[in-house]
Structure formats: C-alpha cells, structure tokens
Amino acid sequence: MYAAGSFVGRDAALAALTRALDRVARGRPGLVVIEGVPGMGKTTLIDRFLSGAPEVRIAQVRGLAAETLVRYGVAGQLVRELTGRSGADTAILADEEVTEVGGRLLGALGTGSGPTVLVLDDAQWADAASLHALGFALRRLESDAVLTVIGTRALDAGGEALPRLVEALRGETVRLAGLTVPEVSELAAGYGVPLSEAAARRLRTHTGGLPLHAVALLRELDPQLLARTRGPLPAPRSFARLVQRRLATGTPELQRLAAAVTVLGGTARLALAAEVAQLDDPVGALDAAVAAGLVEHRREPGGDEVRFVHDLVRAAVLDGLRPAHRVALHRRAAGYLDGAAALEQRAAAALVPDPALSAELAKTARQEAAAGAAEVAVHHFLEASRLSPEPDAARELRLDALETLILSGEAVAARGLAADLADDLAEQRDPARVGYLRGHLALLDGRPADAQRLLAEAWQWCEPAVRPRLAALIAAQLSQLYTVAARNADAVTWADRVARYAGDDPRLASAGAATVLAGLVFSGRPDEALARALPEAATATALRTGRYDDIAGRGLVRLWTDDLAGARSDLTLVTDPGRADRPLRVRLVALAYLAETE
Ligand SMILES: Nc1ncnc2c1ncn2[C@@H]1O[C@H](COP(=O)(O)OP(=O)(O)OP(=O)(O)O)[C@@H](O)[C@H]1O
Ligand SMILES: [Mg+2]
C-alpha cells in the first residue's frame, strides 16, 4: 500500500483503466492487463485506481505462489468473492469441467447490479484451469458491465492462458516501465527527501526507476547521501540480502566471478573477469552465475561479456566484499589493464591519500578535459582530490571537476555537482575562481543578472597577468552575456580580452574569437566579421586542434552574409553527431544556426 500523497506517475495506465471503466458503464465488458516486473507497482496502481473508482462492485482475488498447481484455486476464490458466500455449495472440485466452472463464474458475475470490477492480481501464479474457466465466462458476458483488471509479472508467465484471454476479449495490455527522473523526484519529495534533478537522475539510474527499490532506499538511506549526485549508492537491504544469500549458496568460483565483475565496474570481458577471479573453469562459473539470475552473458564482437542483470546486484555484491579483499582485487585488475583503466583500478585500490597517484589522476583528467571527455575527466579529478593529502590542493581539484562540467555545458550535472560542493563554493578563499564558477552556473541556470554581477566581481578579484586562463574564462562569459543582451560593443571588448588571455588553449581562444564574430555581426558590421573569420585554408587545422567555435563562428558570419551553402557546410562540421568530442555547447549553438539555413 502507498502512503497518502506518495503515489506518483502512472497517468497513462490510470487513464486506460478509467476509459475501460467508462465503456463498461455503457455496457461493454472490458479487460485491462497490467504487466510489470516484480516491484514495478502493479498492485499499487490497481489500489489507486480502485480507490478513485466510483460506486462499483469490486471482487478482488490474487494468485498465490504456493497454489499455482491447485486446480481451480483462483476460480474458487472468485466465486466466493462474487457471491459473498463460502459454504459447501461454492466449493469447486478439481475434476469439474472447465465449461461447468466457467458457467458458475458467469452465474456469479450476473448476481450484482451495476458495474463490477473484477481484479485478479499476481496472475502469474493463477492456475491455468481457473484462467480457462474465467475466459469461458468472460467471453459469454454480453452486455454485463464487467471490467476485468489483471496484474501480472509477465503476460506469458503461466503459458498460453493469459495471452489467449487477452486476444479473445480484445483486451488492452499496459506495460509498466520504470519511473522517470521527475517521478523519482516527486516520489522522494513525498518521503521528505528533496532531491536535485541530478540526484534524482542518480537514484533513477541506480534503481532502474523500480518503485520498490527507490522507496526502500528513500526509507533506508541518509537523505544527505541521497542528495549527492555522484559516488556509489548501496542496494536496498532486502535486495542485498537476497543477492548475498544466492551468492552464499553458490560455488566458490561463482563467488569469485561475481566479486571480479564488481570491481571491474559491473560489466567486463569474460576473459578479463576470469583472470581477475583466478577461475579454473570460467564457463562453469558463468553458467552458475547466469542460472542464479545474477549476471547476463553477451556475445560481443570484441569477446564474450559478462554483466550484472542490474546495477543493484553490483551494489549488493560490493556491500558484501571486505575492504582488504576488494583492494586486492582492484590491484590484480590493474595488472591486467593499461592506460586510464589501469589508473582507475589503482585509484580504487587506494584507501588513503597518495600524492603520486593523485598527481597522475589529475594529469589524466586535464588531458581528458582538453579532449572534451568531460564525464571521465570529472571522475578522475574527484578521485585525484580524494587521494590528495593537501586540503587546499584537494579543493582545487574538486573545483577543477566542477569547471570541467560547467564548460561542457551539462547544466543539470553541473548544478548537481555544485550542490555537492556547496561548502567549497561558500568558502571565501579564492573569490576570483569561485565567483567565476558561480557566475557561469548562474548563466547555465538562466539567471543573467546574477551571472553578470558575480562575473564582474570575479573579474575585480582576478589578476589577468597572473591567472590568464581564469581571466579568459571570465571574459568569455561576460562577452556571451553582452552578446545575448545585444550590447555588442561590450561583447566585442570582452571577446578581445578572451583572445588576449586565452594563450595556447585552443578551445578557449576559439570561443573568444567566435564571440567577437557574433558581436560584430549583431552590431551590423558583417564585413569586419568576414575579414576576421577563420580562413578556409585553416579549416582542417581548426578541426584537428578543437577550434570548433571558429568554425561555428564562420558559419554564423556566412549565414548572415547570405552564403547559405557555406554556412551549412561549416555548421554541419560542428554538429556532426558521429563526433562526440565537439562540446555540447558549441553543437547546440551551431544546431540553432543550422536550422536557420533550412
Ligand atoms: N506509483 C507509485 N507511487 C509511489 N510508490 C509506488 C508506486 N508504485 C509502487 N510504489 C511503491 O513500490 C512498492 C512496490 O509496488 P507494488 O507492490 O505495487 O509492486 P508490484 O508490481 O505489485 O510487485 P509484485 O510483482 O511483487 O507484486 C510499493 O510498496 C510502493 O511503496
Ligand atoms: Mg503486486
């Protein structure tokens, strides 16, 4: 049962049920099947529907796991529910004919006046004979006002009986999917746990939107842990117990395979997992793990892959791993990997600060950020911060992570991380940098007045000669602000500052240059813009060095000077969906311009 006020979503399913009930009230029998995996909210949905239904007769029964083989178990329940009697005359004998039992159900259905809603929940456990009898009765209903609502984990769980029933009665099947991010948000709020969009997204990904698990975590976890947007979440306790019981009854090889896949991140090449787990019989262990419902096996072009059926299985296995065991496995895994993957394993194996490792992670993160791989860069910056022995340096690295997200234009994620780092952002230590980050965030949030104030302050604190990169970043935001506000002279002034301080950072310099072009175009000086645009011959170099803004900027100038073909070709180079390294921000801008060339 759901607590008052905490029911969320399911609008389409409720609408389908309500429509069907309306038709029934007009004399047309109906059938709606609600299908969904365990814990998806079938029972809750049906309860909700019934509590809102007008005066109708309700007969509610359910399949029981222990009675699947009891012939006419469900039909017997139905007759008793419908007639309100439980004496000997309602007993159904196992050897009765389906037609006979169906006839009795039909009779019982006819005893009421007004519409009846007949609910059969957990139909995956209903005995087949009862379903056949029910089908017999429902097919013979003529104008009797009966709406049948069936809840089931899978339509074909009990063989052919249910699909046939749906077909014969031209019933409607509604498949319940996981809750969406806004619905998870609403659910959390109902449990008194307000979540940012990024935090709700994390909980939704972790639970697959399954209400059962989401509710369990909302009840069990510290709201502060839930409110964070990064880092691991545990599995719900009941689920973790289930997984750990299954592991405990498995073979040692199965347990080792599960542990190895866990430290490898939940998905791994079977060959690698077998090495890390030191398996003698990888195929046997895989078979056992698949049979236990813990993992899936996939044949991929690069080699066979093993992955947990659900993120939560990994979380549950992780919960059960002793730290020493986990560290040893991460170290082993690092030995079989190279590059960033090995580095990540070494970081995961480190539980105390390690300056060398921290420096290595930070260096990798910077390269990734420069190459436009924001998400991994953020992860590596945060790991570098965790392993840094110096509190100030650790804080700088956290701000580097935030800056990377902000520059990638991922507004929701950036806002989420900013909330995680609220303490860092509240500190007055480095007003230039913090002011810049807060100002840029305000811009992403659509608060231009705040943004302008924060950025102007940041500029006051920043010494451009000492911190040219920060100066260029601040100037770039101010020039964009002025561009949007159509203060074109200011926009060009600030864009020139970007170009002056951007130094050898091609992306930054490029953004500055493009803003100058936009400023010139919008202030009615397209010829000057054309003269300052990237020369055609420099296109290949610009693409290679990540100067996408220059290309987008030239596209804009060409668009403005009526060179539509040229504009389209420039903008397409930037929006190319096959190239993930183009920053989202530039792509969006280019897409908007591209639409104007159509
Ligand atoms: N729409 C919803 N809004 C809020 N909470 C929900 C919603 N749906 C489900 N829940 C929560 O999830 C839990 C599991 O839902 P429910 O028991 O309805 O699932 P089910 O699909 O019937 O599962 P089973 O197949 O095991 O019977 C409920 O106890 C309730 O707390
Ligand atoms: Mg249920």
Side-chain angles (χ1 to χ4, degrees), residues 42-43 121-122:
K42 302 175 293 291
T43 304
D121 198 2
D122 294 325

Side-chain angles (χ1 to χ4, degrees), residues 109-171:
L109 277 168
T111 55
S113 60
T116 299
V117 180
L118 193 161
V119 178
L120 167 56
D121 198 2
D122 294 325
Q124 72 275 357
W125 289 319
D127 61 283
S130 289
L131 291 175
H132 291 139
L134 182 62
F136 178 92
L138 294 178
R139 276 199 305 277
R140 279 158 187 79
L141 280 173
E142 301 255 303
S143 64
D144 300 78
V146 176
L147 170 63
T148 308
V149 179
I150 294 182
T152 183
R153 291 183 172 178
L155 202 55
D156 56 2
E160 276 301 291
L162 266 182
R164 256 199 241 142
L165 197 62
V166 175
E167 201 185 309
L169 297 168
R170 276 184 270 139

Side-chain angles (χ1 to χ4, degrees), residues 73-394:
V74 162
Q77 279 189 62
L78 267 175
V79 170
R80 288 191 292 277
E81 266 292 305
L82 286 166
T83 57
R85 284 179 303 163
S86 55
D89 58 332
T90 62
I92 299 180
L93 302 177
D95 60 1
E96 286 183 48
E97 293 291 328
V98 164
T99 47
E100 201 177 325
V101 178
R104 287 173 65 180
L105 276 174
L106 193 58
L109 277 168
T111 55
S113 60
T116 299
V117 180
L118 193 161
V119 178
L120 167 56
D121 198 2
D122 294 325
Q124 72 275 357
W125 289 319
D127 61 283
S130 289
L131 291 175
H132 291 139
L134 182 62
F136 178 92
L138 294 178
R139 276 199 305 277
R140 279 158 187 79
L141 280 173
E142 301 255 303
S143 64
D144 300 78
V146 176
L147 170 63
T148 308
V149 179
I150 294 182
T152 183
R153 291 183 172 178
L155 202 55
D156 56 2
E160 276 301 291
L162 266 182
R164 256 199 241 142
L165 197 62
V166 175
E167 201 185 309
L169 297 168
R170 276 184 270 139
E172 185 177 355
T173 302
V174 180
R175 268 202 66 87
L176 294 187
L179 300 178
T180 62
V181 173
E183 286 162 0
V184 167
S185 221
E186 193 188 332
L187 185 72
Y191 282 88
V193 186
L195 294 183
S196 70
E197 190 180 341
R201 191 158 77 184
R202 171 178 181 236
L203 181 58
R204 137 96 236 197
T205 307
H206 187 58
T207 57
L210 195 79
L212 178 73
H213 292 333
V215 164
L217 287 176
L218 286 168
R219 289 205 169 116
E220 289 170 16
L221 297 183
D222 181 348
Q224 284 194 1
L225 174 60
L226 284 163
R228 263 182 239 141
T229 61
R230 272 157 208 280
L233 281 170
R237 276 197 289 272
S238 58
F239 183 80
R241 269 200 299 276
L242 196 82
V243 169
Q244 281 157 11
R245 252 203 316 273
R246 270 191 227 167
L247 274 178
T249 55
T251 62
E253 290 234 317
L254 173 136
Q255 292 162 8
R256 292 215 299 275
L257 176 64
V261 177
T262 297
V263 301
L264 289 169
T267 302
R269 287 276 126 75
L270 179 59
L272 174 61
E275 294 282 8
V276 174
Q278 297 177 287
L279 300 181
D280 294 327
D281 174 17
V283 179
L286 176 65
D287 264 356
V290 171
L294 296 172
V295 304
E296 289 166 355
H297 166 215
R298 290 223 222 157
R299 182 133 289 178
E300 297 286 334
D304 283 33
E305 217 177 70
V306 48
R307 61 159 65 193
F308 286 121
V309 295
H310 201 293
D311 224 30
L312 289 177
V313 179
R314 174 174 187 261
V317 179
L318 193 62
D319 273 354
L321 279 184
R322 279 176 303 107
H325 186 193
R326 187 168 64 78
V327 164
L329 286 172
H330 280 304
R331 290 220 179 100
R332 274 187 68 77
Y336 289 102
L337 295 163
D338 42 36
L343 182 60
E344 241 169 65
Q345 289 293 339
R346 282 166 53 216
L351 303 184
V352 293
D354 178 334
L357 193 50
S358 171
E360 215 178 317
L361 281 159
K363 185 170 161 224
T364 304
R366 287 210 175 85
Q367 288 162 352
E368 288 159 343
E375 198 43 50
V376 278
V378 168
H379 176 56
H380 293 151
F381 272 129
L382 292 175
E383 282 288 84
S385 167
R386 179 175 67 84
L387 294 175
S388 166
E390 270 290 315
D392 284 348

